[in-house]
Coordinates of all heavy atoms in Angstrom, one line a residue:
M212 N 85.3 -182.8 -78.2 CA 85.0 -183.8 -79.2 C 83.8 -183.5 -80.0 O 83.7 -183.6 -81.2 CB 84.8 -185.2 -78.5 CG 85.7 -186.2 -79.1 SD 85.5 -187.7 -78.1 CE 86.1 -188.9 -79.1
G213 N 82.7 -183.1 -79.3 CA 81.5 -182.7 -79.9 C 81.7 -181.5 -80.8 O 81.2 -181.5 -82.0
F214 N 82.4 -180.5 -80.3 CA 82.7 -179.3 -81.2 C 83.5 -179.6 -82.4 O 83.2 -179.1 -83.5 CB 83.4 -178.2 -80.3 CG 83.7 -177.0 -81.1 CD1 82.8 -176.1 -81.5 CD2 85.0 -176.8 -81.6 CE1 83.1 -175.0 -82.2 CE2 85.3 -175.7 -82.4 CZ 84.4 -174.8 -82.7
G215 N 84.5 -180.5 -82.2 CA 85.3 -180.9 -83.4 C 84.5 -181.6 -84.4 O 84.7 -181.4 -85.6
G216 N 83.6 -182.5 -84.0 CA 82.8 -183.2 -84.9 C 81.8 -182.3 -85.7 O 81.6 -182.5 -86.9
I217 N 81.3 -181.3 -85.0 CA 80.4 -180.4 -85.7 C 81.2 -179.5 -86.6 O 80.8 -179.2 -87.8 CB 79.6 -179.5 -84.7 CG1 78.6 -180.5 -83.9 CG2 78.9 -178.4 -85.3 CD1 78.0 -179.8 -82.7
A218 N 82.3 -179.0 -86.2 CA 83.1 -178.1 -87.0 C 83.7 -178.8 -88.3 O 83.8 -178.2 -89.3 CB 84.3 -177.5 -86.2
A219 N 83.9 -180.1 -88.1 CA 84.5 -180.8 -89.3 C 83.3 -181.4 -90.1 O 83.6 -182.1 -91.1 CB 85.4 -181.9 -88.8
L220 N 82.1 -181.2 -89.7 CA 80.9 -181.8 -90.4 C 80.9 -183.3 -90.4 O 80.6 -184.0 -91.4 CB 80.8 -181.2 -91.9 CG 80.7 -179.7 -92.0 CD1 80.7 -179.3 -93.4 CD2 79.5 -179.2 -91.3
G221 N 81.3 -183.9 -89.3 CA 81.3 -185.3 -89.2 C 82.5 -185.8 -88.3 O 83.4 -185.0 -87.9
C222 N 82.5 -187.0 -87.9 CA 83.6 -187.5 -87.0 C 84.6 -188.3 -87.8 O 84.3 -188.8 -88.9 CB 83.0 -188.4 -85.9 SG 82.2 -189.9 -86.4
T223 N 85.7 -188.6 -87.3 CA 86.8 -189.2 -88.0 C 86.5 -190.7 -88.2 O 86.8 -191.3 -89.3 CB 88.1 -189.1 -87.3 OG1 87.9 -189.6 -86.0 CG2 88.6 -187.7 -87.3
I224 N 85.9 -191.4 -87.2 CA 85.5 -192.8 -87.4 C 84.5 -193.0 -88.5 O 84.6 -193.9 -89.3 CB 85.1 -193.4 -86.0 CG1 86.2 -193.3 -85.0 CG2 84.6 -194.8 -86.2 CD1 87.5 -194.0 -85.4
G225 N 83.5 -192.1 -88.5 CA 82.4 -192.2 -89.5 C 83.0 -192.0 -90.9 O 82.7 -192.6 -91.9
Q226 N 84.0 -191.1 -91.0 CA 84.6 -190.8 -92.3 C 85.4 -192.0 -92.7 O 85.4 -192.4 -93.9 CB 85.5 -189.6 -92.1 CG 86.1 -189.1 -93.4 CD 87.6 -189.4 -93.6 OE1 88.2 -189.9 -92.7 NE2 88.1 -189.2 -94.8
G227 N 86.1 -192.7 -91.8 CA 86.9 -193.9 -92.2 C 86.0 -195.0 -92.6 O 86.2 -195.7 -93.6
I228 N 84.9 -195.2 -91.9 CA 84.0 -196.3 -92.2 C 83.3 -196.1 -93.5 O 83.2 -197.0 -94.4 CB 83.0 -196.6 -91.1 CG1 83.7 -197.1 -89.8 CG2 81.9 -197.5 -91.5 CD1 82.8 -197.1 -88.6
T229 N 82.7 -194.9 -93.7 CA 82.0 -194.7 -95.0 C 83.0 -194.6 -96.1 O 82.7 -194.9 -97.3 CB 81.2 -193.4 -94.9 OG1 82.0 -192.3 -94.6 CG2 80.1 -193.5 -93.9
G230 N 84.2 -194.1 -95.9 CA 85.2 -194.1 -96.9 C 85.6 -195.4 -97.4 O 85.9 -195.6 -98.6
F231 N 85.7 -196.4 -96.5 CA 86.0 -197.8 -96.9 C 85.0 -198.3 -97.8 O 85.3 -199.0 -98.8 CB 86.2 -198.7 -95.7 CG 87.6 -198.9 -95.3 CD1 88.1 -198.3 -94.1 CD2 88.5 -199.7 -96.0 CE1 89.4 -198.5 -93.8 CE2 89.8 -199.9 -95.7 CZ 90.3 -199.3 -94.5
S232 N 83.7 -198.0 -97.5 CA 82.6 -198.6 -98.3 C 82.6 -198.0 -99.8 O 82.2 -198.7 -100.7 CB 81.3 -198.3 -97.7 OG 81.0 -197.0 -97.7
T233 N 83.1 -196.8 -99.9 CA 83.2 -196.3 -101.3 C 84.6 -196.3 -101.9 O 84.9 -195.9 -103.0 CB 82.8 -194.8 -101.3 OG1 83.7 -194.1 -100.4 CG2 81.4 -194.6 -100.8
L234 N 85.6 -197.0 -101.1 CA 87.0 -197.1 -101.5 C 87.7 -195.8 -101.8 O 88.5 -195.7 -102.7 CB 87.1 -198.1 -102.7 CG 86.6 -199.5 -102.5 CD1 86.7 -200.3 -103.8 CD2 87.4 -200.2 -101.4
A235 N 87.4 -194.8 -101.0 CA 88.0 -193.5 -101.2 C 89.4 -193.6 -100.6 O 89.6 -193.9 -99.4 CB 87.2 -192.4 -100.5
V236 N 90.4 -193.3 -101.3 CA 91.8 -193.4 -100.9 C 92.1 -192.5 -99.7 O 92.7 -193.0 -98.7 CB 92.7 -193.0 -102.1 CG1 94.2 -193.1 -101.6 CG2 92.5 -194.0 -103.2
G237 N 91.6 -191.3 -99.7 CA 91.8 -190.4 -98.6 C 91.2 -190.9 -97.3 O 91.9 -190.8 -96.2
S238 N 90.1 -191.6 -97.3 CA 89.5 -192.1 -96.1 C 90.2 -193.3 -95.6 O 90.4 -193.5 -94.4 CB 88.0 -192.5 -96.4 OG 87.2 -191.4 -96.6
I239 N 90.7 -194.1 -96.6 CA 91.5 -195.3 -96.2 C 92.8 -194.9 -95.5 O 93.2 -195.4 -94.5 CB 91.7 -196.2 -97.4 CG1 90.4 -196.8 -97.9 CG2 92.7 -197.3 -97.1 CD1 90.5 -197.5 -99.2
I240 N 93.4 -193.9 -96.0 CA 94.7 -193.4 -95.4 C 94.4 -192.8 -94.1 O 95.1 -193.0 -93.1 CB 95.3 -192.3 -96.3 CG1 95.9 -193.0 -97.6 CG2 96.4 -191.6 -95.6 CD1 96.3 -192.1 -98.7
A241 N 93.3 -192.0 -93.9 CA 92.9 -191.4 -92.7 C 92.6 -192.5 -91.6 O 93.1 -192.4 -90.5 CB 91.7 -190.5 -92.8
F242 N 91.9 -193.5 -92.0 CA 91.6 -194.6 -91.1 C 92.8 -195.4 -90.6 O 93.0 -195.7 -89.5 CB 90.5 -195.6 -91.7 CG 90.0 -196.6 -90.8 CD1 89.1 -196.2 -89.8 CD2 90.4 -197.9 -90.8 CE1 88.6 -197.2 -88.9 CE2 90.0 -198.9 -89.9 CZ 89.0 -198.5 -89.0
A243 N 93.7 -195.6 -91.6 CA 95.0 -196.3 -91.3 C 95.8 -195.5 -90.3 O 96.4 -196.0 -89.4 CB 95.7 -196.6 -92.5
S244 N 95.8 -194.1 -90.5 CA 96.5 -193.2 -89.6 C 95.9 -193.2 -88.2 O 96.6 -193.2 -87.2 CB 96.5 -191.8 -90.2 OG 97.2 -191.8 -91.4
I245 N 94.6 -193.3 -88.1 CA 93.9 -193.3 -86.8 C 94.3 -194.6 -86.1 O 94.7 -194.6 -84.9 CB 92.4 -193.2 -87.0 CG1 92.0 -191.9 -87.5 CG2 91.7 -193.6 -85.7 CD1 90.6 -191.8 -88.0
V246 N 94.3 -195.7 -86.8 CA 94.7 -197.0 -86.2 C 96.2 -197.0 -85.8 O 96.5 -197.4 -84.7 CB 94.4 -198.2 -87.1 CG1 95.0 -199.5 -86.6 CG2 92.9 -198.3 -87.3
A247 N 97.0 -196.5 -86.6 CA 98.5 -196.4 -86.3 C 98.7 -195.5 -85.1 O 99.5 -195.9 -84.3 CB 99.2 -195.9 -87.5
G248 N 98.0 -194.4 -85.0 CA 98.2 -193.5 -83.9 C 97.7 -194.2 -82.6 O 98.3 -194.0 -81.5
A249 N 96.6 -194.9 -82.7 CA 96.1 -195.6 -81.5 C 97.1 -196.7 -81.0 O 97.4 -196.8 -79.8 CB 94.8 -196.2 -81.8
V250 N 97.6 -197.4 -82.0 CA 98.6 -198.5 -81.6 C 99.9 -197.9 -81.0 O 100.4 -198.3 -80.0 CB 99.0 -199.3 -82.9 CG1 100.2 -200.2 -82.6 CG2 97.8 -200.1 -83.3
A251 N 100.4 -196.8 -81.6 CA 101.6 -196.1 -81.1 C 101.4 -195.6 -79.7 O 102.2 -195.7 -78.8 CB 102.0 -195.0 -82.0
T252 N 100.2 -195.0 -79.5 CA 99.9 -194.5 -78.2 C 99.8 -195.6 -77.1 O 100.3 -195.4 -76.0 CB 98.5 -193.7 -78.2 OG1 98.7 -192.6 -79.1 CG2 98.2 -193.1 -76.8
M253 N 99.1 -196.7 -77.4 CA 99.0 -197.8 -76.5 C 100.4 -198.4 -76.2 O 100.7 -198.7 -75.0 CB 98.1 -198.8 -77.0 CG 96.6 -198.4 -77.0 SD 96.0 -197.8 -75.4 CE 96.2 -199.3 -74.5
R254 N 101.3 -198.5 -77.2 CA 102.6 -199.0 -76.9 C 103.4 -198.1 -76.1 O 104.1 -198.6 -75.2 CB 103.3 -199.3 -78.3 CG 102.8 -200.5 -79.0 CD 103.6 -200.8 -80.2 NE 103.1 -202.0 -80.8 CZ 103.7 -202.7 -81.7 NH1 104.9 -202.3 -82.2 NH2 103.1 -203.7 -82.3
F255 N 103.3 -196.8 -76.3 CA 104.0 -195.8 -75.5 C 103.5 -195.9 -74.0 O 104.3 -195.9 -73.1 CB 103.9 -194.4 -76.1 CG 104.4 -193.4 -75.2 CD1 105.8 -193.2 -75.0 CD2 103.6 -192.6 -74.4 CE1 106.3 -192.2 -74.2 CE2 104.1 -191.6 -73.5 CZ 105.5 -191.4 -73.5
E256 N 102.2 -195.9 -73.8 CA 101.7 -196.0 -72.5 C 102.1 -197.3 -71.8 O 102.3 -197.2 -70.6 CB 100.1 -195.8 -72.5 CG 99.7 -194.4 -72.9 CD 100.1 -193.4 -71.9 OE1 100.2 -193.6 -70.7 OE2 100.4 -192.2 -72.4
Y257 N 102.1 -198.4 -72.5 CA 102.5 -199.6 -71.9 C 104.0 -199.6 -71.5 O 104.3 -200.0 -70.4 CB 102.2 -200.8 -72.9 CG 102.6 -202.1 -72.3 CD1 101.9 -202.8 -71.4 CD2 103.8 -202.8 -72.8 CE1 102.2 -204.0 -70.8 CE2 104.2 -204.0 -72.3 CZ 103.4 -204.6 -71.3 OH 103.8 -205.8 -70.8
W258 N 104.8 -199.0 -72.4 CA 106.2 -198.9 -72.1 C 106.4 -198.0 -70.9 O 107.2 -198.3 -70.0 CB 106.9 -198.3 -73.3 CG 108.4 -197.9 -73.0 CD1 109.4 -198.7 -73.0 CD2 108.8 -196.6 -72.7 NE1 110.5 -198.0 -72.7 CE2 110.2 -196.7 -72.5 CE3 108.2 -195.3 -72.6 CZ2 111.0 -195.6 -72.2 CZ3 109.0 -194.2 -72.4 CH2 110.4 -194.3 -72.2
R259 N 105.7 -196.9 -70.8 CA 105.8 -196.0 -69.7 C 105.3 -196.6 -68.4 O 106.0 -196.4 -67.3 CB 105.0 -194.7 -69.9 CG 105.2 -193.6 -69.0 CD 104.5 -192.4 -69.4 NE 103.0 -192.6 -69.2 CZ 102.2 -191.8 -68.7 NH1 102.6 -190.6 -68.3 NH2 100.9 -192.0 -68.5
M260 N 104.3 -197.4 -68.4 CA 103.8 -198.1 -67.2 C 104.8 -199.1 -66.7 O 105.0 -199.2 -65.5 CB 102.4 -198.8 -67.6 CG 101.8 -199.4 -66.4 SD 100.2 -200.1 -66.8 CE 100.7 -201.5 -67.9
M261 N 105.4 -199.8 -67.6 CA 106.4 -200.8 -67.2 C 107.7 -200.2 -66.7 O 108.3 -200.7 -65.8 CB 106.8 -201.7 -68.4 CG 105.7 -202.7 -68.8 SD 105.4 -203.8 -67.5 CE 103.6 -203.9 -67.4
R262 N 108.0 -199.0 -67.2 CA 109.2 -198.4 -66.7 C 109.0 -197.8 -65.3 O 110.0 -197.8 -64.5 CB 109.5 -197.2 -67.7 CG 111.0 -196.7 -67.5 CD 111.2 -195.5 -68.4 NE 110.9 -194.4 -67.6 CZ 110.6 -193.2 -68.2 NH1 110.6 -193.0 -69.4 NH2 110.3 -192.2 -67.4
E263 N 107.8 -197.4 -65.0 CA 107.5 -196.8 -63.7 C 107.4 -197.9 -62.6 O 107.7 -197.7 -61.5 CB 106.3 -196.0 -63.7 CG 106.5 -194.7 -64.4 CD 105.2 -193.9 -64.5 OE1 104.2 -194.3 -64.0 OE2 105.2 -192.8 -65.1
G264 N 106.9 -199.1 -63.0 CA 106.6 -200.1 -62.1 C 107.7 -201.0 -61.8 O 108.4 -201.2 -60.9

């Protein structure tokens, strides 16, 4: 994670937050994608946990 943040010259959450403040379309899309990915992952993990139990 640290290497990725340095290689990309910043972190994804910081890019999303600062992008919202300047209304940058790319940052808003990136932030929405991060949230959608987190939601999809949590739903998948919950489904997997319920299936095993």
Side-chain angles (χ1 to χ4, degrees):
M212 232 174 163
F214 177 76
I217 292 170
L220 301 175
C222 68
T223 54
I224 298 302
Q226 188 254 353
I228 292 171
T229 57
F231 262 108
S232 66
T233 59
L234 297 177
V236 177
S238 292
I239 293 171
I240 292 171
F242 187 74
S244 298
I245 292 167
V246 171
V250 169
T252 301
M253 290 305 297
R254 287 188 179 191
F255 173 74
E256 289 297 325
Y257 180 74
W258 171 80
R259 191 176 67 135
M260 184 177 67
M261 289 295 136
R262 197 182 91 201
E263 290 176 0

